[in-house]
Amino acid sequence: MSLRFKAVEEAFKKKALVVSAPAKFTSEYYGKYVFTTSTMSKYLSKDVMKSLKNAVQKGDTLDRNIADYVALGMKMWAMELGATHYTHWFQPLTDGTAEKHDSFIDYAGGGPGEAIIEEFSGKLLAQQEPDASSFPSGGIRSTFEARGYTAWDPSSPAFVIDDTLVVPTIFISYTGEALDLKAPLLKALSAVDKAAVNVCNYFDTNVNKVYSYLGWEQEYFLIDEGLFAIRPDLLLTGRTLLGHESAKNQQLEDHYFGAIPTRVASYMRDLEFEGYKYGIPLKTRHNEVAPNQFELAPIFGETNLSIDQNLLIMKLMKTVARRHGFRLLLHEKPFAGINGSGKHNNWSLGTNTGVGLLTPGKTPEENLQFITFIVNILQAVYKNNALLKASIMTAQNAHRLGANEAPPAIISVFLGTQVSAILDKLEKASSKEAIVVDSKKKLSLGIAHIPEVLLDNTDRNRTSPFAFTGNRFEFRAVGSSANCSSAMTVLNTAVAAQLKEFKAEVDAKIKAGTSKPDAIFEVIQSYIKASKPIRFDGNGYSDEWKIEAAKRGLDCETSVPEIYKAYTTPESVKLFTSTSVLTEKELHARNEVKWETYTKKIQIEARVLGDLAVNHIIPIATRYQSFLLDNVVKIKAVFSGDKADKLSALDSALIVEIGERIATIKNAVDDMIDTRRKINKIESEYDKALAYHDKVLPYFDVIRYNSDKLELIIDDEMWTLPKYRELLFIR
Ligand code: ADP
Ligand code: MG
């Protein structure tokens, strides 16, 4: 029996694993492996706790003494949980997370031959030098003095995983440049905090802190491990490079509405238990639209923490999937012709006083604040639509955007009918009717009451890449495998810069003698007018929208290497430098890494595809062709004349078709290799990435098209690669 049929047989035999909860109630073990504030209080003194809190909330620098105490407490706690090692956990510019484990052990007296003790000092907690040479820096670390080090991020709690204490860190060069995704994120969060507090103070002087909140929805596929193992493309690239559509896929939407398959349900339970141990507040689990596609989402939290939790859960998902005989696919488009996977980023801002700035308020004055933020966000997204797109773009996500049921590679904003109607009214109103000042000098929105029903707004446009959903915006273009930091850094920075500009404009008007309500109104009104092109409530999947969006001047670029250029336009450089999030040098360096990563991804796929075509598809096709030829010879031996011709006509036609397709595939593979050989000599990362996009990718389509046609013709028993129906329907 072929490997493929063996794998199918084995997969069918697999039963759901029995998993049991670590304790009767989730609250009993929730966050057990996290050094949370309440756990900390058992290991640290009140003074130390206070210094730590100030460092986190106000950004005070933490002195070495305090770090020593924290490290000591952390070590005691971690060792009680069985930790023998520690690691600085960071987010390199490429995928995933990176870590280097060191044991706690050290010589007691500091010299060789001494007894061994467990040591973890403030110095080790605060800073470490990973073996950084292998992480991309885009040229920043090209000289020997520009080494990199990791530095503790006290705003995200440490945790213990297996035998290791994990300390979340940023990764920067000795010359101060960010070499990771977290360092600029933290700067962006601080920028939006400051800018938003200043604007909130127009309405409420008690506001002194604004938090950025994120709730991600993680989509993924689960594929049986045995089937996965014999698909070299899944194994090496995370997606199928070949494969004809299954006769049945997602047409009936029966997977979405159906019960969760038992093996998967058991995986989900197991994963939730793991997530809860790490304080990840997993809330929803369900089937998604495509067969074998699923989703999970936590309760939203502070953005930095929520991102770390997402990175951790992606890792846990992989581990738990293997325990259940599955492989996890986080790729944005593992299968052609059916839905890909995204990671909707539900984002909002909220104050220390407990007000959700994107939540329509109960009182009219809260509604004015709400509208102020909505309009500023609209303006920020409008001005930076190309950059926001660049923040979510990767080689993988490019396959998803604009394909089945995914937002197009054009950023627009859906507001829903109610908020749209208010903005339309405000656009035409006079300041007198729009804004009311009461006897206590409080400002409120005079023109339209925002109904509370908005919160339960089911008026949701699923085709919009950036949609208002009642109390938050949902940035849906983010890819499933992405680190949300890229998108969240750009979004929060763009909004911070916009709020700063808003405040400057309002203050200038006030200084020139305009009353505060009039000044606020006039600026809001000008933004409503200016940002109109970004508002789109129609069908984002339609072809008409692409034409319309281009007319409106929105960025419609689809070539990934080109899209990254949005990071280094004069406007973007100004945006990032004025908010102190990234320097121009860092922006350029990061693009180098992006282009290089893009090139490598396509390069690997091209090689795998070439191998599959030459080592699987062509030999199988030749074998089947030979089988048909045999048959023709035999027919002709038994029959003669017209009869023989008639009986062998079908075989002959197939023999010709197979021959032609084999030749086309082989030529395309040869040409592709030749093209790559030339392109690889290009020095500039940008030019190389562009060449891979323009000259290599088109071969993929030719090879795939012909191979998928062969899959339809060739005897099923001969076909070696698990087919779409097997990958997608066996669970
Ligand atoms: P849906 O699939 O209907 O969009 P889900 O319940 O799957 O919604 O996910 C919504 C996500 O949005 C959850 O993570 C939820 O906690 C988060 N969320 C809800 N309110 C806010 C908010 N104000 N700010 C940020 N995220 C939010
Ligand atoms: Mg959603």
Side-chain angles (χ1 to χ4, degrees):
M1 192 168 23
S2 76
L3 267 181
R4 175 178 148 228
F5 288 119
K6 248 187 224 148
V8 169
E9 194 178 27
E10 288 299 314
F12 263 108
K13 280 193 215 146
K14 288 181 191 163
K15 294 272 177 305
L17 283 191
V18 178
V19 291
S20 46
K24 189 166 177 201
F25 299 107
T26 304
S27 54
E28 285 177 58
Y29 66 95
Y30 184 81
K32 184 180 164 191
Y33 291 98
V34 187
F35 202 47
T36 57
T37 314
S38 65
T39 305
M40 257 180 229
S41 63
K42 293 181 202 137
Y43 293 84
L44 306 178
S45 72
K46 280 209 176 87
D47 284 347
V48 172
M49 292 281 293
K50 201 170 143 197
S51 307
L52 192 59
K53 194 175 160 198
N54 285 342
V56 172
Q57 303 225 314
K58 297 184 199 149
D60 295 359
T61 33
L62 203 64
D63 80 58
R64 203 24 82 71
N65 260 337
I66 302 289
D68 274 333
Y69 286 122
V70 177
L72 197 65
M74 214 183 250
K75 183 187 75 181
M76 273 169 62
W77 165 77
M79 282 174 57
E80 280 166 24
L81 288 172
T84 53
H85 287 64
Y86 66 94
T87 184
H88 274 199
W89 190 57
F90 63 100
Q91 304 170 18
L93 296 174
T94 45
D95 299 339
T97 55
E99 51 200 77
K100 176 189 164 223
H101 295 206
D102 278 313
S103 152
F104 283 135
I105 61 163
D106 205 352
Y107 289 121
E114 305 274 350
I116 273 169
I117 54 160
E118 279 89 5
E119 173 70 12
F120 186 56
S121 63
K123 185 166 169 268
L124 296 178
L125 165 65
Q127 199 169 308
Q128 201 185 30
E129 191 171 335
D131 181 17
S133 54
S134 51
F135 294 102
S137 70
I140 279 181
R141 224 185 26 243
S142 55
T143 52
F144 73 94
E145 61 272 65
R147 291 175 309 180
Y149 67 93
T150 50
W152 175 37
D153 165 21
S155 61
S156 180
F159 52 93
V160 168
I161 192 161
D162 300 327
D163 62 359
T164 304
L165 167 67
V166 183
V167 180
T169 60
I170 57 170
F171 182 36
I172 47 186
S173 76
Y174 270 93
T175 44
E177 282 94 5
L179 298 175
D180 71 347
L181 297 174
K182 193 194 253 276
L185 172 81
L186 294 179
K187 290 180 181 168
L189 296 177
S190 155
V192 82
D193 170 17
K194 278 200 203 94
V197 164
N198 286 336
V199 170
C200 285
N201 287 160
Y202 284 134
F203 309 97
D204 181 356
T205 50
N206 294 317
V207 174
N208 56 37
K209 172 99 190 158
V210 169
Y211 298 93
S212 163
Y213 292 119
L214 168 66
W216 38 263
E217 298 164 57
Q218 179 72 55
E219 292 181 335
Y220 60 96
F221 281 85
L222 283 179
I223 303 301
D224 179 82
E225 193 165 39
L227 296 168
F228 173 92
I230 51 170
R231 286 282 318 211
D233 46 359
L234 283 179
L235 196 66
L236 299 179
T237 73
R239 75 172 176 117
T240 56
L241 298 167
L242 301 170
H244 196 276
E245 257 189 89
S246 168
K248 173 183 187 245
N249 49 50
Q250 63 189 41
Q251 307 93 323
L252 301 173
E253 300 208 336
D254 48 347
H255 180 61
Y256 190 67
F257 295 110
I260 298 175
T262 52
R263 248 177 95 196
V264 177
S266 141
Y267 152 85
M268 285 179 172
R269 267 163 60 76
D270 205 0
L271 177 66
E272 283 171 359
F273 297 148
E274 286 298 320
Y276 293 152
K277 288 183 197 164
Y278 291 97
I280 305 173
L282 299 174
K283 181 81 175 163
T284 60
R285 46 156 116 131
H286 57 81
N287 292 352
E288 258 303 324
V289 175
N292 276 359
Q293 191 188 29
F294 309 92
E295 182 187 297
L296 92 163
I299 303 171
F300 70 97
E302 185 277 317
T303 297
N304 177 40
L305 178 60
S306 185
I307 291 176
D308 284 356
Q309 292 182 336
N310 179 247
L311 292 167
L312 178 57
I313 202 79
M314 289 197 284
K315 188 176 151 144
L316 295 174
M317 286 165 85
K318 281 191 195 124
T319 321
V320 176
R322 292 189 72 162
R323 207 144 72 205
H324 292 256
F326 286 122
R327 282 304 175 113
L328 174 79
L329 302 185
L330 286 176
H331 194 287
E332 280 75 359
K333 194 75 181 171
F335 301 97
I338 56 171
N339 282 17
S341 300
K343 179 151 53 201
H344 296 178
N345 276 208
N346 293 267
W347 169 83
S348 71
L349 296 170
T351 68
N352 60 304
T353 56
V355 174
L357 293 168
L358 307 187
T359 306
K362 293 211 165 45
T363 64
E365 62 261 27
E366 284 171 352
N367 283 338
L368 179 57
Q369 182 170 277
F370 164 75
I371 287 296
T372 301
F373 276 89
I374 293 285
V375 170
N376 271 287
I377 292 165
L378 261 185
Q379 178 79 334
V381 175
Y382 172 54
K383 286 201 287 198
N384 299 287
N385 70 87
L387 181 61
L388 279 161
K389 187 165 84 185
S391 78
I392 54 91
M393 193 50 82
T394 57
Q396 309 90 276
N397 208 13
H399 293 292
R400 163 181 168 255
L401 297 176
N404 302 59
E405 307 259 337
I410 302 167
I411 302 293
S412 63
V413 180
F414 167 81
L415 285 177
T417 43
Q418 284 156 324
V419 176
S420 290
I422 291 164
L423 297 197
D424 291 343
K425 268 192 199 163
L426 281 175
E427 187 189 345
K428 290 171 201 104
S430 73
S431 73
K432 292 284 162 293
E433 51 179 334
I435 294 187
V436 180
V437 189
D438 71 12
S439 54
K440 289 185 216 134
K441 290 259 165 84
K442 276 197 162 174
L443 308 182
S444 62
L445 192 62
I447 190 159
H449 181 65
I450 302 177
E452 268 186 68
V453 64
L454 193 63
L455 270 177
D456 308 312
N457 194 352
T458 47
D459 172 20
R460 291 183 171 193
N461 182 327
R462 290 277 164 196
T463 70
S464 177
F466 201 92
F468 181 66
T469 47
N471 60 355
R472 61 192 188 267
F473 278 97
E474 204 172 316
F475 192 9
R476 300 193 180 122
V478 184
S480 48
S481 70
N483 178 330
C484 309
S485 294
S486 297
M488 285 295 109
T489 298
V490 169
L491 179 59
N492 285 289
T493 304
V495 171
Q498 184 54 54
L499 291 169
K500 261 169 89 173
E501 195 175 312
F502 173 76
K503 170 139 171 75
E505 284 185 56
V506 171
D507 286 352
K509 280 184 191 280
I510 294 172
K511 208 169 164 201
T514 313
S515 71
K516 185 164 108 178
D518 282 355
I520 291 177
F521 170 74
E522 285 169 19
V523 180
I524 287 181
Q525 196 174 47
S526 75
Y527 288 177
I528 293 174
K529 286 184 181 140
S531 64
K532 262 191 154 166
I534 200 76
R535 281 163 62 189
F536 179 64
D537 287 3
N539 178 8
Y541 299 160
S542 71
D543 287 332
E544 296 84 70
W545 169 233
K546 286 187 196 145
I547 299 163
E548 164 75 13
K551 270 195 217 143
R552 292 188 186 188
L554 299 178
D555 187 87
C556 298
E557 182 61 58
T558 55
S559 158
V560 178
E562 283 297 340
I563 287 171
Y564 291 148
K565 287 207 146 173
Y567 271 106
T568 52
T569 59
E571 296 79 21
S572 295
V573 171
K574 183 159 172 269
L575 171 77
F576 286 112
T577 53
S578 70
T579 44
S580 307
V581 172
L582 286 164
T583 64
E584 185 163 4
K585 183 177 169 193
E586 288 170 321
L587 288 167
H588 282 284
R590 279 159 187 264
N591 266 5
E592 294 291 313
V593 176
K594 290 198 177 84
W595 287 317
E596 192 187 338
T597 307
Y598 179 83
T599 296
K600 283 185 180 159
K601 292 244 156 112
I602 308 291
Q603 200 171 45
I604 292 168
E605 287 192 345
R607 286 186 182 151
V608 175
L609 184 59
D611 284 354
L612 280 178
V614 175
N615 300 327
H616 282 251
I617 309 303
I618 294 179
I620 298 164
T622 311
R623 214 182 317 149
Y624 186 57
Q625 190 188 39
S626 160
F627 169 84
L628 294 173
L629 279 165
D630 244 20
N631 199 38
V632 172
V633 172
K634 285 176 186 160
I635 287 172
K636 295 209 164 151
V638 177
F639 301 98
S640 57
D642 268 6
K643 187 124 197 180
D645 288 345
K646 216 171 161 187
L647 284 172
S648 62
L650 185 61
D651 287 349
S652 302
L654 283 177
I655 290 162
V656 173
E657 181 179 348
I658 291 170
E660 282 169 359
R661 295 210 188 275
I662 289 177
T664 311
I665 291 174
K666 184 71 172 79
N667 286 337
V669 171
D670 289 345
D671 289 352
M672 181 168 76
I673 292 171
D674 230 37
T675 308
R676 268 167 37 220
R677 207 168 278 145
K678 283 186 204 122
I679 292 174
N680 289 342
K681 295 201 184 93
I682 299 175
E683 283 283 328
S684 138
E685 293 295 351
Y686 165 71
D687 290 335
K688 205 195 288 186
L690 205 60
Y692 263 90
H693 176 274
D694 295 347
K695 305 213 170 91
V696 177
L697 271 186
Y699 289 113
F700 284 34
D701 296 335
V702 180
I703 297 168
R704 178 172 196 143
Y705 178 80
N706 285 284
S707 163
D708 289 357
K709 287 281 180 215
L710 286 173
E711 185 184 329
L712 286 185
I713 300 173
I714 290 169
D715 182 359
D716 186 49
E717 270 193 53
M718 288 184 178
W719 200 255
T720 56
L721 299 170
K723 295 188 170 180
Y724 266 32
R725 63 167 183 266
E726 292 152 354
L727 295 167
L728 291 168
F729 287 92
I730 297 180
R731 52 192 66 137

